[in-house]
């Protein structure tokens, strides 16, 4: 394999590992704020313990995200120098804005959030926790603004040397796909964290380490998941219509539409065959493809044969179906789980073991859906780094030998596998050894500090 293929694989490994942690911290920061608010308002030690436990999960996850994100920045220079040379006028400022706004907010107030609960007033501590949550959302805003511009670029001009210059920053930031991509990602984060809450709570019940916070956390997770998955379905439909308009080749790959046609059936499953330009062993529902993608029974969909540059079909086709399958599973489990938990008067210990094991098995199901969605997004843009402007072949390094890229790729895989295993083991240990240093009858005083009995 040459440097191009190895660099693509290496960046895919890096971004796949990195995205696992921001997709948790974005929404988890807001769940932590909610737990802190409930603890301060009710004085219930259960909410306080939920806040303490999940703040630690946030801290560990945040650290993993920061560490893994740094290596991606270096790869812009080592593996993809052409990207910054050609698109640096756009990418550089957007990444800089993310650091100057979001990261500074998070770094500045994270210490107060983690260590200031007993040292500052309730109002100050609540404010610090909220600012950290705002920072994570702003970070997602800038990163998705850059990614959306790479998908649907506008507000720029290209000089005779191929260098991209900014003509209108508002158009660069607010591209046609940005609102849909941002909402879709934020909802994905909420779903990922909701099932993390549900899964670890279920594991605590199964391991008999449940405490006063477990019921509150499971109820919160199931309620959030049951509501958010419905919103995500509508957001995904709107995003699909936007993709049809601005990235029709990606949509054709998603649905396996090889030739332009009307009355397109919906392909539930099959095996895309790029040599014969057909989907083998396809299971189809007549007319449903056009109805979903155009909101018309006889709507026309452009086929892959219409495009000079089309993405590889199989990975986009299968990734999309994995993402949708995960969404349907989330819908079924969250709705049924919420119903059963409510029927048991919000007592998770009364749930059947098979359901608790189902919850535990789906602890990280959000990661599967998120990765599948990102593969659809990124592979569906190929062979371009910036859609229709910068091909990946013109951005890859010309000076780093393929052997060096391959060696670092192996090192990344080994290191990331060890880090991921360590992270999972830490969360498992935390779930099985929750804190018991909060007195069952303790409460927050009016200043927000622990009273003498709790200390």
């Amino acid at each position: 394999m040459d440097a191009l293929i190895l660099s693509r694989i290496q960046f895919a490994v890096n971004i796949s590992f990195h995205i696992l942690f921001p997709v948790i911290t974005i929404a988890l920061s807001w769940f932590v704020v909610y737990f802190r608010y409930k603890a301060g308002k009710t004085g219930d030690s259960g909410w306080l313990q939920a806040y303490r436990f999940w703040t630690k999960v946030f801290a560990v996850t945040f650290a993993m995200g920061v560490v893994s994100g740094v290596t991606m920045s270096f790869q812009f220079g080592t593996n993809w120098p052409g990207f910054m040379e050609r698109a640096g006028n756009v990418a550089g400022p957007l990444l800089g804005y993310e650091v100057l706004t979001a990261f500074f907010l998070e770094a500045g107030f994270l210490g107060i959030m983690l260590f200031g609960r007993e040292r500052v007033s309730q109002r100050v501590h609540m404010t610090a926790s909220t600012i950290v949550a705002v920072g994570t959302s702003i970070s997602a805003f800038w990163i998705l603004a850059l990614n959306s511009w790479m998908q649907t670029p506008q507000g720029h001009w290209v000089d005779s040397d191929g260098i991209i210059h900014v003509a209108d920053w508002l158009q660069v930031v607010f591209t046609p796909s940005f609102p849909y991509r941002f909402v879709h990602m934020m909802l994905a984060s909420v779903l990922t964290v909701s099932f993390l809450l549900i899964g670890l709570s279920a594991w605590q019940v199964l391991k008999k380490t449940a405490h006063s916070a477990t019921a509150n956390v499971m109820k919160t997770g199931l309620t959030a998941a049951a509501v958010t998955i419905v919103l995500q379905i509508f957001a995904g439909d709107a995003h699909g219509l936007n993709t049809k308009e601005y990235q029709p080749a990606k949509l054709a790959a998603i649905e396996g539409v090889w030739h332009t046609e009307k009355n397109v059936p919906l392909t539930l499953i099959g095996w895309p065959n790029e040599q014969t330009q057909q989907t083998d062993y396809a299971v189809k529902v007549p007319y449903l493809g056009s109805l979903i993608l155009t909101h018309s029974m006889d709507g026309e969909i452009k086929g892959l044969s219409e495009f000079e540059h089309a993405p590889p079909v199989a990975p986009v086709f299968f990734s999309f179906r994995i993402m949708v399958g995960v969404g349907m599973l989330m819908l079924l489990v969250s709705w049924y789980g919420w119903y059963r938990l409510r029927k048991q008067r919000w007592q998770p210990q009364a749930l059947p073991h098979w359901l608790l094991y189902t919850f535990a098995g789906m602890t990280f199901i959000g990661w599967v859906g998120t990765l599948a969605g990102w593969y659809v997004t990124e592979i569906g843009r190929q062979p371009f780094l910036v859609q229709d402007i910068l091909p990946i072949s013109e951005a890859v390094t010309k000076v780093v030998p393929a052997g060096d890229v391959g060696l670092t790729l192996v090192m990344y895989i080994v290191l990331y596998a060890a880090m991921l295993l360590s992270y999972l083991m830490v969360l498992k240990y935390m779930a099985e050894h929750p804190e018991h240093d909060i007195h069952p009858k303790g409460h927050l005083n009016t200043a927000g500090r622990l009273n003498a009995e709790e200390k």
Side-chain angles (χ1 to χ4, degrees):
M1 292 186 286
D2 59 14
L4 174 60
I5 297 298
L6 290 169
S7 293
R8 292 177 67 184
I9 296 173
Q10 186 178 106
F11 197 80
V13 169
N14 274 267
I15 197 170
S16 296
F17 181 75
H18 172 69
I19 195 62
L20 301 179
F21 307 105
V23 77
I24 291 178
T25 56
I26 292 169
L28 182 56
S29 60
W30 289 106
F31 277 97
V32 166
V33 168
Y34 173 71
F35 294 153
R36 183 66 183 86
Y37 167 76
K38 294 291 289 187
K41 183 178 180 180
T42 66
D44 184 353
S45 63
W47 288 112
L48 180 59
Q49 192 157 359
Y51 171 81
R52 290 167 63 93
F53 178 85
W54 288 101
T55 298
K56 290 186 176 183
V57 174
F58 173 84
V60 173
T61 309
F62 181 83
M64 294 284 287
V66 171
V67 170
S68 58
V70 171
T71 58
M72 288 175 43
S73 301
F74 282 115
Q75 285 193 17
F76 288 142
T78 58
N79 296 58
W80 304 99
F83 175 64
M84 297 309 291
E85 290 173 1
R86 298 271 298 274
N89 293 324
V90 177
L94 291 180
L95 293 173
Y97 297 154
E98 191 261 343
V99 174
L100 290 173
T101 57
F103 192 74
F104 277 13
L105 282 178
E106 294 167 321
F109 290 88
L110 185 62
I112 300 174
M113 173 184 170
L114 296 179
F115 308 111
R117 181 172 50 84
E118 300 181 34
R119 296 173 174 83
V120 298
S121 69
Q122 178 177 339
R123 179 174 299 178
V124 170
H125 190 254
M126 183 70 184
T127 300
S129 300
T130 304
I131 290 175
V132 170
V134 170
T136 61
S137 298
I138 294 176
S139 179
F141 175 92
W142 290 117
I143 297 301
L144 289 169
L146 174 57
N147 184 268
S148 298
W149 178 82
M150 295 167 66
Q151 301 282 341
T152 54
Q154 66 172 23
H156 64 274
W157 60 279
V158 184
D159 66 19
S160 58
D161 295 322
I163 306 300
I164 302 171
H165 300 271
V166 175
D168 187 330
W169 273 112
L170 285 178
Q171 290 188 22
V172 167
V173 174
F174 297 100
T175 62
S177 66
F178 171 73
Y180 304 95
R181 205 176 306 279
F182 181 73
V183 171
H184 201 50
M185 182 63 190
M186 296 299 285
L187 292 176
S189 180
V190 175
L191 285 169
T192 300
V193 174
S194 296
F195 277 90
L196 181 65
L197 299 177
I198 297 166
L200 288 188
S201 298
W203 188 253
Q204 289 177 330
V205 175
L206 290 169
K207 293 299 179 179
K208 302 187 185 306
T209 59
H211 46 81
S212 58
T214 303
N216 289 337
V217 171
M218 183 177 287
K219 177 183 176 182
T220 301
L222 282 169
T223 302
V227 174
T228 305
I229 187 59
V230 178
L231 299 176
Q232 185 69 299
I233 291 172
F234 285 102
D237 177 66
H239 195 6
L241 295 177
N242 179 264
T243 303
K244 175 183 178 295
E245 181 175 358
Y246 292 98
Q247 292 181 291
K250 179 189 291 186
L251 185 70
I254 287 173
E255 295 301 329
V257 179
W258 302 94
H259 306 285
T260 300
E261 57 182 307
K262 295 183 178 181
N263 308 320
V264 178
L266 179 67
T267 303
L268 299 178
I269 194 63
W271 192 271
N273 189 330
E274 294 195 42
Q275 292 184 340
T276 61
Q277 292 197 342
Q278 64 182 13
T279 304
D280 299 332
Y281 316 111
V283 178
K284 300 182 178 182
V285 180
Y287 303 104
L288 192 57
S290 288
L291 181 62
I292 292 176
L293 298 173
T294 68
H295 290 187
S296 172
M297 293 284 285
D298 61 348
E300 182 179 272
I301 305 297
K302 277 190 175 183
L304 289 160
S305 59
E306 296 280 338
F307 304 100
E308 180 182 359
H309 302 288
V313 179
V316 178
F317 181 88
F318 289 120
S319 294
F320 180 79
R321 277 148 187 79
I322 292 172
M323 179 184 68
V324 173
V326 166
M328 294 300 100
L329 183 60
M330 285 179 166
L331 177 67
L332 176 64
V333 172
S334 63
W335 280 28
Y336 180 73
W338 188 90
Y339 165 75
R340 288 300 301 265
L341 187 62
R342 181 178 180 274
K343 189 176 181 181
Q344 300 298 336
R345 300 182 182 276
W346 310 112
Q347 296 302 314
Q349 291 85 348
L351 293 175
H353 272 53
W354 70 265
L355 184 57
L356 291 172
Y357 276 111
T358 300
F359 288 162
M362 292 181 64
T363 302
F364 297 100
I365 191 68
W367 279 357
V368 179
T370 298
L371 286 175
W374 271 103
Y375 292 159
V376 171
T377 296
E378 299 305 301
I379 300 175
R381 187 184 58 216
Q382 302 300 318
F384 293 99
L385 201 54
V386 179
Q387 184 72 51
D388 299 326
I389 297 177
L390 178 59
I392 57 172
S393 58
E394 296 180 13
V396 72
T397 179
K398 303 297 191 297
V399 297
V400 180
D404 290 354
V405 180
L407 176 61
T408 54
L409 170 61
V410 173
M411 294 172 64
Y412 275 128
I413 292 174
V414 173
L415 178 61
Y416 284 164
M419 291 176 65
L420 183 59
L421 179 61
S422 299
Y423 175 79
L424 297 177
M425 291 177 63
V426 166
L427 292 195
K428 180 176 180 292
Y429 179 86
M430 290 172 63
E432 295 175 356
H433 301 81
E435 291 184 337
H436 296 289
D437 59 340
I438 301 178
H439 194 281
K441 296 181 180 180
H443 61 278
L444 289 171
N445 61 26
T446 56
R449 302 180 178 87
L450 288 172
N451 58 32
E453 183 181 50
E454 290 172 281
K455 291 181 181 179

